[in-house]
Amino acid sequence: MSQDRYRKVPSVRLSRLASFGQLAGGIAGGMMAEGVRRLARGERPQMSDLLLTPGNAMRLTDQLSRLRGAAMKLGQMISLDAGDLLPAELTAILARLRDAAHFMPPAQLNQVLQTEWGKDWRRRFARFEATPVAAASIGQVHRATLPDGRVLAIKVQYPGVAASIDADVDNVATLLRLSGLLPETLDVAPLLAEAKRQLREEADYLREADQMRRYGALLADHPAFVLPAPVAELSGERVLAMDFLPGQPIETLLQASQEVRDQAMAALLELVLRELFEFGYMQTDPNFANFRWQADTGRIVLLDFGAARAVPDATVAAYRRLMHAGLAEDRAALRDALLAIGFVSPVTLERHSGSLDAMIDVLIGHLGRPGLFDFADRSFVAEVRRHAETIAADRAAWHIPPADTLFVQRKVSGTALLAVRMEARLPLRDMVAAKLA
């Protein structure tokens, strides 16, 4: 394992603030250099053009992967949620945040585990592997074996992460404000407050253990999924012990046959629909690392339940209305549903109804095709983006949907993105109609 992956987590507020200052300075320098280059070519670049460059994206991913915590988590959200909106090269660079976290050095790891389990913590295990098997935004995972031979995965939270959530979110928001990417009139305060609440919940490993048990019961008889069970006597707010379940990255599913890929993605899509319309409860983080593929059993390992949350009845009803309108291919009903669910604001509808209707027509034409829906067919994206850019150019009409809608849509969009990666072909309309019946 390369020593470059080991970097101490900055756990003191001042050191994290300094890291944000270094990030802001590096991005500003990159913007200035890019601006000079473009002016020398006779161009008049926009602020967003100077900010969204591969060089600045690389600076962002490198620094956020060192900071970890809420800062890196927000970067992961941007990389996954941006979808087709960002240039492909930037999306690819930001995607590195999904598996680019550094590891805690052994001394820092030992200090965390001593705090949780005492100085003689190693006596609890027959073997504890010092090199993590995975590292993410909030913690890293180690494989360990109990004296009775039971193999566990031990998720250890980075020190200072929970205490730094509010400051990290505020610092990321400040960077966005200073960049000029967000209009001054856009009120992001409610979304920031909800992001802080969600991240605080994700940092509470006792809560996650409860969510793991809840999903274990909901999916106990489902043949397509397998979930770990938590080990209560070894778990706390900052350390979570659970069964170690073997599996490969979900992306390896792409090597399987079309039939196997379709079956796996049908199970994941059905799970999203059940979460929304049956459970009223959803694991809202579709990060690909939260799914593992067991080729020998044909099952998907579900991991990381920190982002599981209740879906309000009003949000469920709004999605039901939206999907009914889509199945009916009713443009007027779809427009009304988009307004009701909060994807579209009255201002946007008033100022850009033509572009909005054109986007709806494109989507209806693509989604309404008979037979299997081919997720790999992205022929409609360019036309949708063209109409979306017209709306996006009107910064005064920018609008943030309700937080509950955003969290649900994040899971819906993330699952669809995975289906695109897997080149799945599914009876999408029939699946949706069955859940709405």
Side-chain angles (χ1 to χ4, degrees), residues 96-398:
R96 294 174 61 232
L97 282 171
R98 293 203 285 273
D99 59 4
H102 293 283
F103 302 152
M104 282 185 281
Q108 191 175 35
L109 171 66
N110 184 62
Q111 184 178 17
V112 172
L113 294 180
Q114 281 189 4
T115 301
E116 292 294 325
W117 291 333
K119 291 186 177 180
D120 62 346
W121 64 267
R122 292 185 182 277
R123 295 182 180 179
R124 295 170 178 256
F125 303 98
R127 176 179 174 82
F128 188 97
E129 298 183 14
T131 301
V133 295
S137 56
I138 292 178
Q140 62 189 41
V141 181
H142 294 260
R143 182 161 43 196
T145 305
L146 294 175
D148 64 4
R150 184 180 180 185
V151 182
L152 303 180
I154 310 290
K155 184 156 69 169
V156 185
Q157 190 170 123
Y158 302 128
V161 159
S164 68
I165 286 172
D166 287 8
D168 276 5
V169 172
D170 289 340
N171 285 330
V172 170
T174 298
L175 284 176
L176 289 173
R177 284 289 190 201
L178 293 176
S179 72
L181 281 178
L182 299 180
E184 293 183 3
T185 56
L186 193 65
D187 182 14
V188 298
L191 183 59
L192 294 179
E194 189 61 31
K196 291 174 183 177
R197 185 181 77 84
Q198 169 99 25
L199 289 166
R200 283 194 289 268
E201 289 182 349
E202 291 191 47
D204 182 350
Y205 284 174
L206 287 175
R207 179 186 181 277
E208 181 177 351
D210 287 340
Q211 308 311 310
M212 195 182 303
R213 295 186 190 97
R214 179 175 192 151
Y215 267 83
L218 287 170
L219 300 174
D221 298 324
H222 201 299
F225 301 121
V226 58
L227 291 73
V231 181
E233 59 269 25
L234 290 174
S235 298
E237 289 188 359
R238 305 292 176 249
V239 174
L240 176 57
M242 69 197 87
D243 294 315
F244 181 89
L245 298 178
Q248 297 298 314
I250 192 66
E251 290 90 342
T252 60
L253 177 60
L254 190 56
Q255 302 167 10
S257 67
Q258 183 73 53
E259 180 182 6
V260 171
R261 298 199 309 272
D262 291 346
Q263 289 175 347
M265 288 313 309
L268 284 173
L269 180 59
E270 182 199 28
L271 175 58
V272 174
L273 294 171
R274 290 187 70 191
E275 286 178 308
L276 184 56
F277 297 121
E278 183 180 332
F279 301 161
Y281 214 84
M282 180 174 281
Q283 193 283 78
T284 61
D285 184 358
N287 192 325
F288 295 171
N290 294 339
F291 309 109
R292 306 282 287 180
W293 172 244
Q294 293 183 336
D296 55 340
T297 67
R299 295 192 296 180
I300 299 169
V301 180
L302 300 180
L303 300 171
D304 199 335
F305 297 89
R309 56 188 282 149
V311 183
D313 291 342
T315 304
V316 175
Y319 268 91
R320 187 178 297 276
R321 180 179 175 185
L322 179 70
M323 292 186 182
H324 272 301
L327 289 174
E329 300 184 12
D330 186 331
R331 184 212 283 174
L334 259 174
R335 191 195 307 117
D336 291 343
L338 289 170
L339 186 64
I341 204 171
F343 283 131
V344 175
S345 71
V347 173
T348 304
L349 191 60
E350 177 184 353
R351 297 162 67 123
H352 301 287
S353 60
S355 294
L356 184 62
D357 285 345
M359 291 172 62
I360 290 174
D361 288 343
V362 173
L363 292 173
I364 286 177
H366 186 71
L367 294 169
R369 295 174 183 172
L372 296 177
F373 180 80
D374 185 355
F375 280 87
D377 179 5
R378 312 297 284 166
S379 58
F380 69 102
V381 170
E383 190 172 357
V384 170
R385 182 191 284 125
R386 180 169 59 84
H387 295 298
E389 287 173 349
T390 301
I391 300 175
D394 182 5
R395 291 165 63 86
W398 281 24

